[in-house]
């Protein structure tokens, strides 16, 4: 069976960076499932759809024309043939993703596409329901958290790097609202799988979290 490591948790816990580094070190494939929800939201916005229109947004999710291309050391993301690498990380895409991710038909539409990322020699998948719904048989399941304040500060740094203006209190509010929405929804709510290992990254460096994930893998492979 192809080995899978799932890294789930709230936004800003460091999942994306940790997943990328773990995948790089192992030479495994990477699934950034949040990007698929963000891209679905952007496709809906670009077509002028109301993001609460479940049928319309699910059709966008099914027909999503995306490409993840590795250029030098980073991933370039294209939607409908256009480079959306920066736009996909914007607050517009993040808030839109949180809305469309609550729609069961959208989650259903992205189900197979996510599973197709599971290819030899292995997969590192990050998101909210990787260990609970998409890859319930994963070899290693991590649930990565951090305090809302630490996550808001990390997010602020990322946005500043993207050249966006930032209000920390506003970001903290947004993070709390998104946590609430992601945890309270009935379709695949954000919660740790029963067999997930909980890791709180508030006081840990990225390197320490990566080391922790890799040691869990070694322990499972013995
Ligand atoms: O991880 P992220 O910030 O890129 O995720 C964007 C939104 O998509 C977030 O509000 C939660 C949602 N999401 C989800 O519901 N399920 C996933 N597997 C990944 C992301």
């Amino acid at each position: 069976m192809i080995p899978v490591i799932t890294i789930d948790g709230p936004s800003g816990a460091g999942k994306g960076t940790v997943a990328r580094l773990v995948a790089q070190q192992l030479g495994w494939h990477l699934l950034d499932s949040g990007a698929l929800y963000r891209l679905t939201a952007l496709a809906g916005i670009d077509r002028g759809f109301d993001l609460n229109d479940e049928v319309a947004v699910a059709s966008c999710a099914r027909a999503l024309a995306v490409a993840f291309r590795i250029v030098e050391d980073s991933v370039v993301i294209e939607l409908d043939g256009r480079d959306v690498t920066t736009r996909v990380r914007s607050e517009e895409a993040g808030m839109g993703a949180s809305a469309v991710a609550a729609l069961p038909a959208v989650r259903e539409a992205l189900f197979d596409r996510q599973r197709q990322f599971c290819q030899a020699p292995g997969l590192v998948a990050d998101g909210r329901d990787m260990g609970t719904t998409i890859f319930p048989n994963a070899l290693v399941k991590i649930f990565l958290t951090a305090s809302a304040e630490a996550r808001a500060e990390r997010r602020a740094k990322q946005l500043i790097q993207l050249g966006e203006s930032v209000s920390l209190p506003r970001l903290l509010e947004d993070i709390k609202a998104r946590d609430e929405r992601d945890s309270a929804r009935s379709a695949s709510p954000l919660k740790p799988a029963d067999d997930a290992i909980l890791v709180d990254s508030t006081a840990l460096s990225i390197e320490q979290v990566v080391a922790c994930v890799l040691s869990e893998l070694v322990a499972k492979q013995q």
Side-chain angles (χ1 to χ4, degrees):
M1 196 153 75
I2 297 167
V4 176
I5 298 175
T6 59
I7 305 180
D8 288 306
S11 74
K15 300 181 306 286
T17 310
V18 170
R20 184 171 47 79
L21 291 172
V22 170
Q24 262 173 359
Q25 290 204 22
L26 295 170
W28 288 10
H29 297 279
L30 178 66
L31 165 60
D32 170 359
S33 61
L36 294 177
Y37 289 95
R38 288 168 179 265
L39 288 160
T40 300
L42 292 180
I45 292 168
D46 289 351
R47 285 163 181 71
F49 292 157
D50 172 355
L51 293 188
N52 297 309
D53 182 340
E54 186 162 1
V55 172
V57 179
S59 75
C60 284
R62 257 187 305 276
L64 213 52
V66 295
F68 294 86
R69 291 192 296 110
I70 313 270
V71 176
E72 282 155 16
D73 234 6
S74 47
V75 183
V76 171
I77 305 178
E78 289 174 348
L79 174 65
D80 296 325
R82 273 174 294 137
D83 184 340
V84 291
T85 316
T86 305
R87 200 174 159 219
V88 117
R89 293 284 144 230
S90 67
E91 280 303 282
E92 174 196 34
M95 292 309 282
S98 180
V100 305
L103 305 174
V106 172
R107 304 200 73 86
E108 175 70 37
L110 292 176
F111 194 83
D112 286 339
R113 193 186 283 262
Q114 295 177 86
R115 292 205 158 175
Q116 283 162 9
F117 281 77
C118 184
Q119 288 177 19
L123 174 70
V124 183
D126 91 75
R128 305 295 189 285
D129 62 343
M130 298 295 100
T132 49
T133 306
I134 308 295
F135 301 109
N137 299 322
L139 184 59
V140 174
K141 296 182 185 178
I142 305 287
F143 193 82
L144 190 61
T145 58
S147 70
E149 288 72 16
R151 290 185 284 128
E153 276 169 31
R154 290 175 193 170
R155 186 73 188 127
K157 278 193 198 148
Q158 279 177 352
L159 289 174
I160 289 167
Q161 275 173 2
L162 291 175
E164 290 197 28
S165 61
V166 163
S167 147
L168 198 56
R170 166 91 201 282
L171 274 180
L172 185 57
E173 241 175 67
D174 285 353
I175 281 201
K176 287 182 175 165
R178 201 179 305 178
D179 282 359
E180 173 62 28
R181 186 151 27 153
D182 292 344
S183 308
R185 66 172 181 233
S186 53
S188 274
L190 171 65
K191 69 170 173 59
D194 291 339
D195 49 351
I197 296 141
L198 301 188
V199 179
D200 183 338
S201 74
T202 307
L204 298 180
S205 68
I206 290 289
E207 291 73 23
Q208 285 171 314
V209 180
V210 169
C212 166
V213 176
L214 292 173
S215 72
E216 289 299 335
L217 176 65
V218 171
K220 281 284 166 60
Q221 283 175 329
Q222 272 165 4

